[in-house]
């Protein structure tokens, strides 16, 4: 008798290659069951081929739908004719085949794209080398790999081969995160530093950040985050079974970066009091935050704001293999009632007054975009998707946001999942400013259709420059396409009447005739923190305005307020009044000074001041509004690197800083961070820096990784929290020195 098995062998080069079908005759002598002496997961070789060697070479990190090679060493030669092998890969706390968390697979001629595969066997003496591969829809996570070896006689033994981690694979066209650009993959997966753009639409500041997704232990912390999410705590097996979906992973991570529903990574704090934690402005990168969260057993780290939430999520998603970038939307609306209108209120003395409604306009808001295929949506909505870990509103009962297709936002297709109406409003809402007196809305001061969603920014690929991606989110302001999309979304949200807007009747009856005077607040010189602010009010009477009045008499109330990140303002730190007149076509410039003594102890950490003016025309009692936001320029750091940077060789760096203001800076601390340059964070106490003094700190670094690196530097004092700088450093390999 003979039996047919699924393999055949061929000899060549001293090794036996097992190729296809062969026949076994029962007259062959029975052999003892193979004993496994050792296994080699070939981590250095596999990790390099799977773009994971930056994580390390001691453990195996592989990507979906891509083969990896392992070697098994037995106590005798492997005989394909009699030694039957079955491989098992298990993930999760209670792996089962029914949920896909346990898979058993046998040798085949070639890789099967739809199933786990083991193929391409070759033997040499007592060793067996095989290739393994997962399908593109496999669950990501930690796996235990086993092999069971048996003979026709029924004897069998099972051996553990080791553990490996399986990640998304944006290099493979079968994976739902496939990104067909090597240049973009180097930026959105492999780049472990970058910039977050902050400040104000007219003073955009690049904020260096250490993502550090390949630092030791970060990948384990990323999976710890997944293992502490609410879905896992409620039903661990079901949670693991859904980890094959990038949409599921994105929503879980978005919820877990904040701590509103769970023991997430960061606790938000938008007040000016951060005494029980770290001021969000004082973080340099994600690594310190993630390690602190892990070290405390998953207690939320204090504190974060939008850019910190988004930066940490970028670290986690890039580590897991999802192309991710950080995006800043300047003048970002938080529209809670879905009417696409955000209302602001001023009193007659030009003070922006607090409002009870939750609507607001952030000076800037930062979120993430992740690249993926959207199989749940109609064709055309693949690509970049908005994910926002900042806890603003709940999504299906949990504080998370997205994924919302950027294309759907641009086209006004707000009916598509997830949270598209909210994101659409962030970049498209109208701003309406009202005059309020004794708590009552009196009249409309302005209705702005193009002041929300400005200069949407991200880091340019392969460059330190800013890339404006506003056109990805909306058509040009005022264009026919933009207004058409806005009306399309409005009809879906409000219906034909727009009845959910409480001031709709006032809007319809508002006095929208052309303003008789054009007003501007203009800076006279660069606004430096620590100096008096010089600006002027430019007023020009338009030809043909108020024809019955020869000379317009105008009275101006001016106010300066520290602007908070959430768009609200503190009580006025400065007020002024002035009067003047204008005849037809006349223009005047009136100089104004806001002294440093008025704002030095009252300005917020954001270092933003809103100058507002209410101009009343005496003859008509009509009121006009003029606004100017000022971002104060902070002192600069000078960073110098001496010599050539080489792995495992000392590198000297100098950081110098001059206190240019008229008063001392107290309790100054220098903090340095940079993956591949510094292990963790380096902190140096600088003490008090007197007015006019220059401090210089000399530090020695010991680079551990080659390639492009970035040193992030922060000087934080009681008076100023965010004097930041950076230095790009290329590190050569040790062998090239």
């Amino acid at each position: 008798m003979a039996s047919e098995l699924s393999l055949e062998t061929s000899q060549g080069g001293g090794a036996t290659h097992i190729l296809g079908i062969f026949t076994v005759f029962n007259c062959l002598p029975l052999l003892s069951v193979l004993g496994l002496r050792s296994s080699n997961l070939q981590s250095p070789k596999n990790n390099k081929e799977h773009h994971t060697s930056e994580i390390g070479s001691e453990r195996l990190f592989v990507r979906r739908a891509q083969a990896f090679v392992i070697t098994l060493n037995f106590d005798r030669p492997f005989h394909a004719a009699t030694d039957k092998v079955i491989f098992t890969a298990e993930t999760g706390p209670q792996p089962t085949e029914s949920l896909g968390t346990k898979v058993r697979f046998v040798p085949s001629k070639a890789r099967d794209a739809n199933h786990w595969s083991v193929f391409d066997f070759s033997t040499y003496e007592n060793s067996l080398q095989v290739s393994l591969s997962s399908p593109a829809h496999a669950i990501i996570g930690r796996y235990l790999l086993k092999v069971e070896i048996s003979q026709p006689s029924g004897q069998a033994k099972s051996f553990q081969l080791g553990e490996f981690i399986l990640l998304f694979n944006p290099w493979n066209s079968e994976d739902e995160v496939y990104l067909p650009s090597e240049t973009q993959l180097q930026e959105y997966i492999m780049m472990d530093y970058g910039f977050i753009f902050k400040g104000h639409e007219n003073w955009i500041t690049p904020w260096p950040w250490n993502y550090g997704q390949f630092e030791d232990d970060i990948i384990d912390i990323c999976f710890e985050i997944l293992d502490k999410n609410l879905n896992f705590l409620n039903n661990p097996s079901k949670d693991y079974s859904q980890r094959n979906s990038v949409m599921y992973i994105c929503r879980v991570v978005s919820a877990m970066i904040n701590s509103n529903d769970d023991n997430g990574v960061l606790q938000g704090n938008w007040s000016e009091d951060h005494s029980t934690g770290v001021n969000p402005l004082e973080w340099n990168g994600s690594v310190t935050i993630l390690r602190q969260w892990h070290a405390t057993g998953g207690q939320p780290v204090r504190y974060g704001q939008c850019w910190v939430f988004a930066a940490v999520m970028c670290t986690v998603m890039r580590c897991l293999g999802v192309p991710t970038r950080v995006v800043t939307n300047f003048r970002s609306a938080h529209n809670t009632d879905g009417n696409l209108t955000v209302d602001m209120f001023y009193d007659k003395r030009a003070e922006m007054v607090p409002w009870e409604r939750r609507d607001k306009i952030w000076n800037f808001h930062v979120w993430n975009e992740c690249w993926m295929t959207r199989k749940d949506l109609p064709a055309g909505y693949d690509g970049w998707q908005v994910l926002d870990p900042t806890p603003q509103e709940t999504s299906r009962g949990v504080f998370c946001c997205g994924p919302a297709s950027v294309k759907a936002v641009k086209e006004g297709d707000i009916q598509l999942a997830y949270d598209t109406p909210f994101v659409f409003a962030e970049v498209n809402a109208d701003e309406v400013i009202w005059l309020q007196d004794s708590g009552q809305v009196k009249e409309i001061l302005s209705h702005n259709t193009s002041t929300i969603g400005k200069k949407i920014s991200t880091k340019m690929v392969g460059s330190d420059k800013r890339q404006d991606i506003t056109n990805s989110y909306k058509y040009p302001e005022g264009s026919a396409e933009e207004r058409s999309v806005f009306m399309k979304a409005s009809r879906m949200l409000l219906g034909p009447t727009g009845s959910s807007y409480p001031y709709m009747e006032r809007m319809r009856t508002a006095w929208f005739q052309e303003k008789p005077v054009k007003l501007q607040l203009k800076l006279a010189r660069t606004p430096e923190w620590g100096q008096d602010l010089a600006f002027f009010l430019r007023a020009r009477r338009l030809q043909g305005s108020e024809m019955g009045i020869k000379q317009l008499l105008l009275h101006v109330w001016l106010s300066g307020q520290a602007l908070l990140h959430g768009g609200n303002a503190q009580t006025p730190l400065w007020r002024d009044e002035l009067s003047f007149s204008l005849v037809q076509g006349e223009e005047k410039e009136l100089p104004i000074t806001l002294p440093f003594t008025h704002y030095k102890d009252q300005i917020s950490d954001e270092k933003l001041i809103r100058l507002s003016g209410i101009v009343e025309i005496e003859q008509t009692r009509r009121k006009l509004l003029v606004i100017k936001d000022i971002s104060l320029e902070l002192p600069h750091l000078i960073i110098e690197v001496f010599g050539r940077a080489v792995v495992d060789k000392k590198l000297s760096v100098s950081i110098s800083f001059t206190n240019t203001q008229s008063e001392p800076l107290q309790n100054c601390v220098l903090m340095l961070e940079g993956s591949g340059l510094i292990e963790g964070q380096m902190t140096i106490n600088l003490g008090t820096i007197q007015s006019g003094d220059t401090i210089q700190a000399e530090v020695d670094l010991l680079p551990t990784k080659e390639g492009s690196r970035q040193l992030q530097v922060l000087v934080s004092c009681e008076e100023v929290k965010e004097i930041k700088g950076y230095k790009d450093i290329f590190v050569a390999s040790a062998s090239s020195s």
Side-chain angles (χ1 to χ4, degrees):
M1 292 182 63
S3 60
E4 192 174 80
L5 299 181
S6 61
L7 298 171
E8 66 179 26
T9 64
S10 67
Q11 289 291 134
T16 301
H17 299 274
I18 303 167
L19 303 174
I21 305 298
F22 59 85
T23 301
V24 180
F25 292 90
N26 291 343
C27 59
L28 291 174
L30 292 177
L31 298 171
S32 60
V33 177
L34 272 178
L36 182 71
R37 287 185 171 171
S38 64
S39 61
N40 183 355
L41 300 185
Q42 299 193 36
S43 298
K45 176 178 181 294
N46 287 320
N47 291 359
K48 183 176 181 180
E49 293 178 355
H50 284 247
H51 306 278
T52 60
S53 56
E54 280 281 308
I55 305 175
S57 59
E58 298 298 316
R59 300 156 63 193
L60 180 60
F61 308 102
V62 294
R63 300 190 184 275
R64 303 196 299 191
Q66 183 176 341
F68 59 97
V69 176
I70 65 171
T71 302
L72 310 180
N73 300 309
F74 298 112
D75 56 3
R76 63 166 174 79
F78 176 81
H79 293 283
T82 55
D83 298 320
K84 180 181 178 183
V85 291
I86 301 175
F87 286 83
T88 303
E90 299 175 348
T91 187
Q94 295 178 318
T96 62
E97 292 185 60
S98 61
L99 288 174
T101 50
K102 178 179 180 179
V103 288
R104 289 165 58 85
F105 47 107
V106 297
S108 59
K109 292 182 180 180
R111 176 179 175 267
D112 182 346
N114 296 315
H115 301 91
W116 284 80
S117 310
V118 55
F119 54 97
D120 196 18
F121 278 45
S122 65
T123 62
Y124 179 76
E125 296 181 347
N126 289 5
S127 297
L128 171 66
Q129 181 171 284
V130 297
S131 295
L132 296 91
S133 178
S134 73
H137 60 268
I139 294 166
I140 67 160
R142 299 186 190 88
Y143 278 84
L144 176 62
L145 184 63
K146 301 177 182 178
V147 64
E148 181 184 294
I149 307 172
S150 61
Q151 288 194 311
S153 63
Q155 292 178 291
K157 287 184 180 179
S158 182
F159 303 94
Q160 290 190 8
L161 301 180
E163 294 184 349
F164 66 93
I165 287 179
L166 186 67
L167 302 170
F168 292 107
N169 192 352
W171 280 269
N172 191 289
S173 61
E174 300 170 17
D175 201 300
E176 60 186 336
V177 300
Y178 173 59
L179 179 59
S181 166
E182 182 61 32
T183 304
Q184 292 187 45
L185 286 166
Q186 290 302 313
E187 181 73 45
Y188 299 133
I189 292 289
M190 302 303 296
M191 186 67 72
D192 61 3
Y193 62 86
F195 296 95
I196 302 162
F197 294 96
K198 297 175 73 244
H200 184 275
E201 61 173 305
N202 295 324
W203 293 279
I204 297 176
T205 303
W207 184 275
W209 193 269
N210 180 36
Y211 296 120
Q213 66 267 31
F214 303 127
E215 289 290 284
D216 290 343
D217 68 13
I218 293 300
I219 193 166
D220 297 309
I221 296 173
C222 290
F223 284 107
E224 183 182 353
I225 290 171
L226 297 183
D227 287 347
K228 280 186 164 59
N229 89 83
L230 293 178
N231 295 338
F232 176 84
L233 298 178
N234 292 331
N235 190 333
S237 297
K238 182 180 179 182
D239 171 70
Y240 260 79
S241 72
Q242 297 179 88
R243 294 187 185 182
N244 62 330
S245 164
V246 67
M247 283 195 299
Y248 180 78
I249 293 293
C250 282
R251 283 182 64 79
V252 165
V253 174
S254 174
M256 279 298 297
I257 297 301
N258 69 73
S259 59
N260 283 40
D261 308 293
D262 42 45
N263 283 333
V265 176
L266 280 158
Q267 181 176 328
N269 184 344
W270 287 268
S271 76
E272 291 294 297
D273 180 10
H274 305 102
S275 57
T276 55
V278 175
N279 187 314
L281 294 169
E282 295 181 312
W283 296 115
N284 263 342
S286 306
V287 176
T288 303
I289 294 169
L290 290 167
R291 284 177 174 167
Q292 182 177 326
W293 178 81
H294 165 73
T296 58
Q299 292 301 306
V301 176
R302 300 176 178 177
Y303 291 105
Q305 291 184 11
C306 64
W307 68 91
V308 187
F309 289 114
V312 173
M313 182 163 182
C314 183
T315 296
V316 174
M317 298 312 297
R318 286 186 183 181
C319 185
L320 297 178
V322 181
T324 304
R325 62 189 186 183
V326 176
V327 172
T328 303
N329 178 37
F330 289 94
R331 303 213 80 237
S332 185
H334 180 178
N335 181 222
T336 58
D337 46 21
N339 60 22
L340 294 181
T341 301
V342 177
D343 299 292
M344 313 291 284
F345 302 93
Y346 281 79
D347 68 14
K348 62 184 180 181
R349 298 190 65 194
E351 178 184 345
M352 184 167 60
V353 297
W355 55 91
E356 296 180 1
R357 298 173 66 215
R358 293 175 61 207
D359 283 9
K360 64 182 70 174
I361 301 174
W362 301 94
N363 304 325
F364 64 90
H365 183 56
V366 184
W367 58 64
N368 301 99
E369 287 179 1
C370 294
W371 181 274
M372 68 187 75
T373 301
R374 289 297 300 269
K375 298 176 183 177
D376 61 318
L377 301 182
Y381 297 96
D382 298 339
W384 291 116
Q385 313 288 318
V386 173
L387 277 300
D388 190 350
T390 300
Q392 295 191 83
E393 299 292 328
T394 58
S395 173
R396 304 193 178 187
V398 178
F399 277 97
C400 67
C401 180
S405 165
V406 173
K407 179 68 178 299
V409 172
K410 182 171 184 176
E411 299 299 335
D413 293 323
I414 61 173
Q415 77 280 8
L416 300 178
Y418 294 83
D419 309 306
T420 310
F422 185 78
V423 179
F424 182 87
E426 286 183 299
V427 300
N428 284 295
D430 284 0
E431 177 188 25
V432 183
I433 301 178
W434 300 90
L435 181 67
Q436 190 180 84
D437 188 15
S438 302
Q440 298 296 313
V441 174
K442 294 297 184 181
E443 63 181 272
I444 189 170
L445 293 171
S446 67
H447 177 196
N448 304 312
T449 61
S450 60
T451 56
I452 301 295
K454 307 296 287 183
K455 295 185 180 176
I456 304 174
S457 304
T458 192
K459 178 185 176 296
M460 190 175 289
V461 173
S463 168
D464 290 351
K465 296 179 181 178
R466 181 183 72 91
Q467 180 182 357
D468 192 308
I469 57 171
T470 307
N471 287 341
S472 298
Y473 281 84
K474 54 185 178 180
Y475 291 97
E477 293 286 4
S479 67
E481 296 94 338
E482 184 266 336
R483 282 291 97 184
S484 174
V485 166
F486 185 87
M487 295 309 298
K488 171 185 172 182
S490 297
R491 284 192 295 270
M492 279 191 273
L493 282 171
L494 306 177
T497 63
S499 57
S500 72
Y501 184 45
Y503 306 117
M504 182 57 69
E505 192 58 35
R506 288 183 180 273
M507 285 278 287
R508 290 184 178 130
T509 58
W511 186 9
F512 282 118
Q513 74 177 62
E514 188 174 355
K515 297 174 182 178
V517 179
K518 183 177 180 180
L519 299 165
Q520 280 184 297
L521 285 168
K522 300 283 290 182
L523 285 167
R525 60 173 181 262
T526 301
E528 296 183 4
W529 184 82
Q531 307 296 325
D532 294 347
L533 305 180
F535 57 102
F536 53 85
L537 174 65
R538 177 183 292 165
R540 179 168 61 89
R541 183 175 176 181
L542 302 179
Q543 288 285 0
S545 64
E546 305 289 0
M547 291 297 293
I549 305 173
K550 181 178 179 181
Q551 188 175 56
L552 288 182
L553 303 178
L554 301 104
H555 189 80
V556 185
W557 290 268
L558 292 165
S559 168
Q561 294 174 271
L563 200 59
L564 303 176
H565 176 55
N568 217 329
Q570 295 178 339
T571 56
L573 50 84
W574 167 84
R575 292 184 187 275
D576 201 356
E577 292 184 40
L578 53 95
S579 297
F580 61 99
S581 62
L582 291 173
V583 298
Q584 288 284 343
E586 185 181 9
E587 179 174 295
K588 288 184 177 179
E589 287 188 353
L590 307 168
I592 304 167
T593 300
L594 196 167
F596 172 57
T597 53
H598 280 256
Y599 72 79
K600 72 170 187 174
D601 295 323
Q602 298 190 55
I603 195 166
S604 69
D605 289 337
E606 296 294 322
K607 298 294 183 285
L608 276 172
I609 296 177
R610 170 160 291 182
L611 301 176
S612 308
I614 295 283
V615 179
E616 183 179 77
I617 302 172
E618 185 175 310
Q619 292 95 328
T620 64
R621 297 299 178 189
R622 185 172 182 188
K623 295 179 176 62
L624 308 174
L625 174 69
V626 61
I627 295 173
K628 178 74 173 180
D629 291 341
I630 297 175
S631 178
L632 300 180
E633 188 167 308
L634 299 175
H636 299 284
L637 300 177
I638 298 174
I639 306 169
E640 295 181 278
V641 176
F642 302 101
R644 183 166 173 255
V646 179
V647 170
D648 292 331
K649 285 198 173 183
K650 186 175 73 172
L651 180 67
S652 296
V653 176
S654 169
I655 300 105
S656 58
F657 164 67
T658 300
N659 178 8
T660 56
Q661 74 150 35
S662 58
E663 297 188 1
L665 297 175
Q666 303 178 75
N667 296 324
C668 297
V669 178
L670 173 67
M671 288 176 277
L672 298 92
E673 196 166 326
S675 290
L677 297 172
I678 298 173
E679 176 58 35
Q681 191 177 72
M682 184 183 297
T683 301
I684 301 171
N685 290 318
L686 302 176
T688 297
I689 306 174
Q690 299 296 331
S691 175
D693 283 0
T694 297
I695 60 99
Q696 186 165 327
E698 308 283 346
V699 297
D700 289 331
L701 310 181
L702 192 68
T704 57
K705 292 183 178 181
E706 62 184 73
S708 297
R709 304 292 161 189
Q710 187 185 83
L711 178 67
Q712 295 91 20
V713 182
L714 167 71
V715 172
S716 179
C717 315
E718 284 187 14
E719 295 80 6
V720 192
K721 298 297 183 185
E722 51 172 321
I723 303 170
K724 294 207 75 168
Y726 71 95
K727 189 74 171 180
D728 291 333
I729 299 173
F730 183 82
V731 181
S733 64
S735 59
S736 68
S737 61

